[in-house]
Structure formats: C-alpha cells, structure tokens
Amino acid sequence: MRTFNVNRLPELTRSTYESQQRWGDKNWKDTLKKHYKEIEKLLQKIGVFDSWKNILGNKYGKVAGELVPEIFLDAYISVHFACMGLYKQANICLRTQLETALRLVFFSMHPVEFKWWYESNEWYRGSLRTKDVWGDGYRYFEQLETVKKFDKICNGKLFNSIRRIYKILSRYVHSGVLSFQTTPVRVSPKYKIDAFRKWRDNFRDVQDYVNTIFSLGFADEFQGVSLNNQKKILKVVRNDKFKRGLRKSLGLKFRGRI
Amino acid sequence: MTNVNSMKSQMIDSLWLPTVQEGGRVFYPRLRKNKKMKLLTLTNDRNFQEVVKFQENHLTQKEYTVAWARDSFKRIRLETESMGVVLEAGRYEDSILSATCPVHGHFSFDIINLDFSSQDPDLEDGRIEKEIESLERTIYLQNQERGNKFVLIYTTLIDSKNIDRDYVVRASDAIRINEWSGLNLSHFPQRISDGDLKKNFIEEVIKKICQKYGYTNIKINSSTLAMPRGQEQLYSIAGIFTR
C-alpha cells in the first residue's frame, strides 16, 4: 500500500487500528481535561535530562550520549501511556528509567563493562549471579562517598527508598492482580483518576530519585555547573529532605529556598 | 523569552526565500525541477515554515534537511515531520564549539540557516557575540568539508544589550588561518550600543569571516522587523557566498 488507506486494511488490523485511534484520543482528552496543569509540570521535570546530557556529554561521551536520551524517553513515554490510560505500561517505563539511570552512574566509572553490556554480554548473570550490571543489590552505590555522606545528613538510607519504589514498580512488570490493565468489566484502557494519581506519585518519586542519584553519582560535574543549572536540577527534586541532603553533602552554596 | 514565530513568515517571504532562490539559480543553473539543496536550519517545532517554503519552491526536499531543535521535546515533534535528520544537543552556539557536536558529520551544506531567534533565546549579555562565534565555527566546518558555495542566513534579536567588539575579535582570531592577519574591526567602538551600528557590525563581521576562509560574497541583503510591544528588533541577514 503506497498511500495509506484504512479501507484496504485486513479485518482484524483495521478493527485494532480504529479502536486504538479512538480510545487513544479519548483517553488523552479525558486525562488532559482534568490534569493538564499537572502533566505540564511533570513534563517540565523531564526537560532537565537535556541539562544532564550537556553536563555529562563531554566527559562520558558515548555512555551519556546513549543512556541519557533513553532515560528521557522512558519518562516521556510513561506520560504518553498514562495519558492513554495505559497505567501498567506507564509504570513499567518508570522502572526501566530508574534502572537505566543506575546503569549510567555505574558505567561512567566502568567503560569496559559498558562495552560488554553494549555488545549484549551478560557476564554478571554467570559468575556474579546478579540480575544487573552493578552487582548484588545496591551495594555498589552505597559505597560511593557522596551517597554515604548524603545518608548521614538525611539520617536515612537513600537506597532503602529506591528499593521500595523499585518493588512497587516491579508489581506492574510481574503483573500483580492489583496492577492489571484490565478489569472484569472492561478490557480496553480508560482514564481512571485513582490509577492516574498512583502513577503520578510514582513518576514524581522516580524523578526525585534519578536526579538525586545523578547529583551524587556525578558530584564533581554537578558541582562544576552554573548556579542556575544546579537550581534547575534541584527544583525537580520535590522531596525537601533530599534537597537539603544534596545541598549540604555537596556543599552547594546558594541562598534561599528552591 | 520572546515569541518571534508570527514574524517568521514575513522574513521568509521578504528575504530568505528570494536569496535561496537566487542561490539555487547560481549554484545549480541546470537543475530545473528540483535543486535538491542540502539545508541546515535552526528551527522551531511549531514553526518550521522555511523548510516547507523551500520545499514548495523546489529548492530542497525534506530528506536533504538537517534540522536543529532546542530541546528533546522539540526534537521529538520535528521528527514526526519526516525530515532527513533532526539534531538536538542544547544550544547550537554552545554545542557547535565542542568536538562531539552531532552536526559535524553532516557538513557541507548549500543553505545554512542560523536562525537563533527560533531557539528560545535568553536575552543575556554576550548572546550575539556567542552566536557570531558559532557562525564562524560553522563556516570553518563548511570550509573543512570543501563546501565551495552556500547561502548563509543569520537571524537574531537586536536588544538593548551592548555588543562587545573585542570578544568577537578574540574569538575569531583564536582560529588561525594562513595569510589571514586577523579580524580588523577597530573602526567600531569597543562597546556597540546603537541599534543600526550593531547591524552594520554584524554584516561586516559576517563578510570578513567568510573572506577569512576564502569565500567571496556575491550578494548580501538584510531585513529588520520591529517586535510587537518591545524594544527588540528581529534582524536577519542573508548572503550568497562562493569561491
């Protein structure tokens, strides 16, 4: 078919295409009617990944160049899925966003492992018997001096919070009944305020964690950028305790609330 | 941030399109159906009329277009328009100076449209100076990739901030070229505050930078539009360069 013509599509394809077009459009509109201001704010949060790409680009060229856009797009598509009423998929995107962010911090100091991973070598599953490149649990990140300092100031463990959100998001990946996309009375996606709010909270938390991890994992680069850029990034972090922890542990010297 | 979208079509019709049409006639006199000129354009996700206009006038085609977007959101929007390549790496004027800038691999071009007004400019000190610095870097790359002829369009917002002549000279002289004795702009004041003088300065700098790399200017025109409710002006200069 050189020119697209819906009438020439086979039966099941045409029916699926038309259904997707219709409910996609309807759910986007139903969501935006109620939440357009919130959605704008969530999108503004992910705009900060362009800043991270610029901050990290020179020093970690390929690693940052490959992973930061992916992190951005996971968040972007999460918004898209949520606006389509696909809350399960929207939450799954958040888990992959978090994982890719952690990989970026790890790979920035491990170029050889990045090359292996890039070539689809899963060495870590063999001898290390772990499910991800950075090893067992989050011990690698917990050994970083900046993370230790941050934990001390915040009087808590950053990675305990990350474990918690990861567990929540994993329920969507492993399809726990409560995270099903379908219900006994309806199969196709629909705007639901409760599911939207749950996703929105997860989205905000994940952006908090990713920006906190980056600020600590790339502390030298973060400290080296202009005050305006530092403020722009900290503004994304909604959790006041994290914000305070970052300012104190990284010795960021600017006045006033962000 | 100033919205210049509404004024862009006026600029295209009065200056950009006639210059590119003439460039097409000079560069490719035998190609009558479509000139297929390779275009680099700093553009906007909601207003990329120049690409459409150049295409409608058989000067280029979408697949010969390299579009530069200001951020990832704009890039994603532009990617839905099936242009050849859409690039995004922050501000062009910062990015082009770095060796890893993604546009480097795409030179040379027939049309170079450096429309900084489309990139949501922050009206801060040193803005025009940095734009000119990046313009020279663009010509440098064009020269390196043996681009012997091109239409150059430079568009900016002229506001109340002074232009620092010495910054422009220093930035240009930092790139050394054999038999080029340096950028001589001593007849301009060190801080240029007058609007008309700023335009003369920009025009002279562009001509001299192109000269530095061996390009002769066949034609150069400019246009100024007053911004609604403000002191700023939208200033655009378009020229045809060959060697």
Side-chain angles (χ1 to χ4, degrees), chain A residues 43-44 46-47 50 53-54 57-58 72-73 76, chain B residues 70-73 75-76 88-91 98 100:
Chain A
L43 290 170
Q44 280 167 358
I46 65 173
D50 280 343
K53 194 167 67 180
N54 294 333
N58 279 340
F72 170 86
L73 203 71
Y76 183 94
Chain B
R70 167 78 180 82
D71 61 43
S72 295
F73 291 104
R75 177 185 182 167
I76 289 173
E88 171 278 317
R91 293 204 175 280
S98 135
T100 55

Side-chain angles (χ1 to χ4, degrees), chain A:
Chain A
M1 200 190 318
R2 288 188 70 168
T3 312
F4 181 76
N5 182 350
V6 72
N7 298 322
R8 291 178 60 195
L9 292 173
E11 194 188 331
L12 293 178
T13 308
R14 179 177 170 169
S15 165
T16 307
Y17 170 76
E18 286 177 344
S19 313
Q20 303 292 319
Q21 296 286 314
R22 285 179 68 83
W23 62 247
D25 184 55
K26 181 174 174 9
N27 292 349
W28 257 101
K29 286 174 181 163
D30 287 347
T31 307
L32 292 185
K33 272 192 276 183
K34 291 206 171 142
H35 304 285
Y36 68 96
K37 283 184 185 162
E38 279 170 283
I39 293 291
E40 181 69 15
K41 280 185 186 160
L42 299 182
L43 290 170
Q44 280 167 358
K45 280 179 187 282
I46 65 173
V48 83
F49 291 113
D50 280 343
S51 297
W52 279 116
K53 194 167 67 180
N54 294 333
I55 294 169
L56 303 177
N58 279 340
K59 192 165 174 189
Y60 306 107
K62 191 171 165 67
V63 185
E66 296 276 349
L67 299 193
V68 179
E70 191 67 20
I71 292 164
F72 170 86
L73 203 71
D74 276 336
Y76 183 94
I77 294 297
S78 178
V79 173
H80 172 59
F81 281 153
C83 290
M84 289 179 85
L86 290 163
Y87 302 109
K88 175 175 153 182
Q89 285 73 12
N91 280 292
I92 291 172
C93 286
L94 294 178
R95 196 182 96 163
T96 60
Q97 187 197 3
L98 185 59
E99 285 171 336
T100 311
L102 290 168
R103 280 187 205 122
L104 174 57
V105 175
F106 177 79
F107 285 141
S108 66
M109 299 301 284
H110 297 81
V112 175
E113 282 82 350
F114 174 66
K115 192 170 172 288
W116 291 346
W117 176 80
Y118 199 76
E119 292 162 353
S120 305
N121 175 346
E122 294 191 327
W123 79 97
Y124 48 90
R125 289 190 190 275
S127 56
L128 296 177
R129 293 182 182 215
T130 58
K131 58 185 171 71
D132 221 318
V133 292
W134 54 76
D136 191 21
Y138 299 102
R139 278 189 217 161
Y140 169 80
F141 302 104
E142 287 170 329
Q143 293 309 308
L144 299 176
E145 285 306 317
T146 48
V147 173
K148 283 183 188 170
K149 210 169 163 187
F150 175 88
D151 282 349
K152 205 172 165 189
I153 288 165
C154 291
N155 204 13
K157 282 194 170 283
L158 169 65
F159 277 87
N160 281 349
S161 312
I162 291 175
R163 264 185 206 101
R164 223 172 4 252
I165 189 80
Y166 192 84
K167 208 171 159 188
I168 292 171
L169 298 174
S170 294
R171 285 186 202 131
Y172 295 94
V173 177
H174 302 301
S175 285
V177 176
L178 293 176
S179 63
F180 268 19
Q181 184 63 56
T182 54
T183 65
V185 289
R186 189 183 168 96
V187 176
S188 57
K190 188 177 186 297
Y191 162 69
K192 286 180 223 149
I193 192 157
D194 290 346
F196 177 87
R197 283 185 179 148
K198 255 192 215 171
W199 163 80
R200 179 203 58 197
D201 292 346
N202 291 341
F203 185 95
R204 286 174 177 163
D205 285 348
V206 169
Q207 306 322 308
D208 272 15
Y209 295 133
V210 170
N211 282 285
T212 303
I213 295 162
F214 279 3
S215 304
L216 296 170
F218 301 110
D220 289 345
E221 292 77 12
F222 182 60
Q223 285 162 324
V225 300
S226 68
L227 287 183
N228 272 348
N229 262 333
Q230 287 177 353
K231 281 183 184 174
K232 195 172 147 192
I233 289 167
L234 284 192
K235 220 172 169 182
V236 173
V237 179
R238 204 177 33 117
N239 185 323
D240 280 337
K241 199 164 109 180
F242 284 9
K243 228 182 259 193
R244 218 172 25 251
L246 285 173
R247 283 175 77 162
K248 279 196 174 174
S249 64
L250 299 175
L252 305 177
K253 288 181 179 145
F254 41 78
R255 288 179 184 175
R257 257 178 80 89
I258 292 170

Side-chain angles (χ1 to χ4, degrees), chain B:
Chain B
M1 212 181 293
T2 316
N3 186 353
V4 295
N5 280 346
S6 55
M7 303 163 80
K8 191 167 169 180
S9 58
Q10 220 177 318
M11 205 53 106
I12 294 171
D13 290 338
S14 65
L15 182 69
W16 299 3
L17 183 60
T19 313
V20 174
Q21 278 173 325
E22 189 167 346
R25 280 193 294 272
V26 174
F27 302 160
Y28 304 106
R30 290 185 180 181
L31 294 179
R32 285 165 198 268
K33 282 191 180 163
N34 200 310
K35 304 285 185 192
K36 295 185 180 172
M37 292 164 87
K38 194 174 166 192
L39 165 69
L40 167 66
T41 186
L42 310 191
T43 198
N44 189 283
D45 60 326
R46 311 220 10 221
N47 185 348
F48 41 88
Q49 292 171 58
E50 77 282 14
V51 180
V52 178
K53 281 270 177 165
F54 295 160
Q55 200 185 348
E56 279 172 359
N57 285 276
H58 311 293
L59 296 163
T60 187
Q61 289 175 336
K62 276 192 177 172
E63 57 266 41
Y64 296 104
T65 298
V66 175
W68 184 280
R70 167 78 180 82
D71 61 43
S72 295
F73 291 104
K74 293 183 167 62
R75 177 185 182 167
I76 289 173
R77 170 66 187 89
L78 281 171
E79 280 176 345
T80 65
E81 293 295 328
S82 316
M83 292 186 195
V85 181
V86 183
L87 302 173
E88 171 278 317
R91 293 204 175 280
Y92 180 83
E93 57 271 38
D94 295 328
S95 186
I96 187 86
L97 302 178
S98 135
T100 55
C101 177
V103 78
H104 288 195
H106 296 281
F107 276 85
S108 60
F109 296 96
D110 296 302
I111 311 164
I112 298 172
N113 178 33
L114 301 181
D115 176 13
F116 290 97
S117 72
S118 70
Q119 304 289 296
D120 306 333
D122 294 324
L123 302 181
E124 54 193 18
D125 278 332
R127 172 180 54 89
I128 292 179
E129 291 87 324
K130 282 183 93 177
E131 290 172 1
I132 293 173
E133 188 180 0
S134 71
L135 182 143
E136 170 152 3
R137 181 73 178 164
T138 307
I139 304 301
Y140 171 88
L141 291 166
Q142 181 77 357
N143 171 54
Q144 236 183 8
E145 295 303 320
R146 300 178 200 287
N148 290 330
K149 49 192 187 302
F150 58 92
V151 174
L152 175 67
I153 305 168
Y154 167 75
T155 306
T156 193
L157 292 173
I158 302 277
D159 61 356
S160 58
K161 305 250 170 28
N162 295 339
I163 297 181
D164 181 345
R165 179 200 66 191
D166 291 353
Y167 180 99
V168 173
V169 173
R170 265 198 314 275
S172 177
D173 289 350
I175 306 174
R176 292 178 188 279
I177 292 284
N178 282 343
E179 295 170 21
W180 176 256
S181 57
L183 195 58
N184 183 3
L185 298 166
S186 54
H187 49 293
F188 286 98
Q190 206 266 317
R191 297 214 154 263
I192 305 164
S193 55
D194 176 72
D196 287 337
L197 201 58
K198 281 179 192 169
K199 292 177 212 165
N200 293 342
F201 177 79
I202 291 169
E203 182 169 338
E204 188 159 337
V205 169
I206 290 176
K207 280 181 185 167
K208 284 193 168 165
I209 285 174
C210 289
Q211 240 175 48
K212 177 176 173 182
Y213 296 92
Y215 296 105
T216 320
N217 158 227
I218 295 180
K219 186 179 183 172
I220 198 155
N221 277 321
S222 64
S223 176
T224 306
L225 298 173
M227 303 290 292
R229 295 189 306 273
Q231 293 179 329
E232 295 110 32
Q233 293 178 324
L234 182 66
Y235 172 67
S236 188
I237 178 163
I240 302 169
F241 296 87
T242 60
R243 63 178 170 205

